[in-house]
Amino acid sequence: MSLVITPNSKQALSAKHQLQLLALPNNKRIRLLKTLGRFERKLARQRIRTQTTVKGNKFAARESGKKTKMLKRMGKTLEPYVKAGKRLELKHKNALTGRIAALHQEGGTEQMTANRMARIHGKPNYKAPCTRSQAKALSAEGYKVRRAKGKGYRRATIKEITANLNHGKATLVLSKLRGQKSRKSWPIAVKARPFLGDTPQNVQAQLATILNQLNKRG
């Protein structure tokens, strides 16, 4: 994912600033675009910190309901690149990071595999105690235990589930209760969270500011 800016009439620069931009030697034009790129990167990082989109809306919430911040590393690896002294690209040097950023920027579907999940989150310790979230899920699915007295079964409490099931057993039982088959890969829907971008008006204003600063420095 990259932000591409080519200063021209589409950025609605004034005639004065257009002439100044055209008159700049190549090294100064590169410096100008690099400065603009750092400014846009700062805005992108700020949006990630505040978890807001380019339009100022809150990021779409996680499907899991978790409240932890999203895209935390996406702003750190953004770098401004200037092509031919007249084209600015603000993008990630690493292609994989760029693809992940594009997925969150625009939304889409990501294909997940068990191996990839293990690389991201680490291999689960299936012998570890059942987590509380697993116990809640099992309880919601109607997991039952044998009655201590009499015949039949009753719904297990969360405390009983966490005390008697390990992580691996809980995962297996939950899959069976939900009727889920073992999968090698599965799609994950990713909502759009556009954090990179700007309006022509904002680009115009910032270009004008940088041009004025360059003129003062000479």
Side-chain angles (χ1 to χ4, degrees), residues 13 31 72 75 101 114 130 135-137 162 165 210 214:
L13 282 172
R31 193 193 314 167
K72 289 186 289 186
C130 163
K136 285 183 176 180
T162 53
L165 293 183
I210 299 170
L214 284 175

Side-chain angles (χ1 to χ4, degrees), residues 47-65:
R47 293 182 193 115
I48 292 173
R49 282 196 300 272
T50 58
Q51 300 286 278
T52 52
T53 68
V54 174
K55 293 184 178 180
N57 302 319
K58 282 289 183 183
F59 278 170
R62 294 179 185 272
E63 290 290 337
S64 64

Side-chain angles (χ1 to χ4, degrees), residues 5 7 20-21 23-38 80-89 207 210-211 214 217:
I5 296 174
Q20 287 178 343
L21 186 60
L24 283 177
N26 193 57
N27 64 330
K28 284 195 174 183
R29 194 180 299 112
I30 291 173
R31 193 193 314 167
L32 177 144
L33 291 174
K34 282 271 191 180
T35 303
L36 177 63
R38 287 190 288 269
Y81 296 89
V82 177
K83 303 291 181 69
K86 57 184 178 181
R87 174 186 168 97
L88 167 69
E89 289 189 26
L207 277 172
I210 299 170
L211 277 168
L214 284 175
R217 287 199 293 265

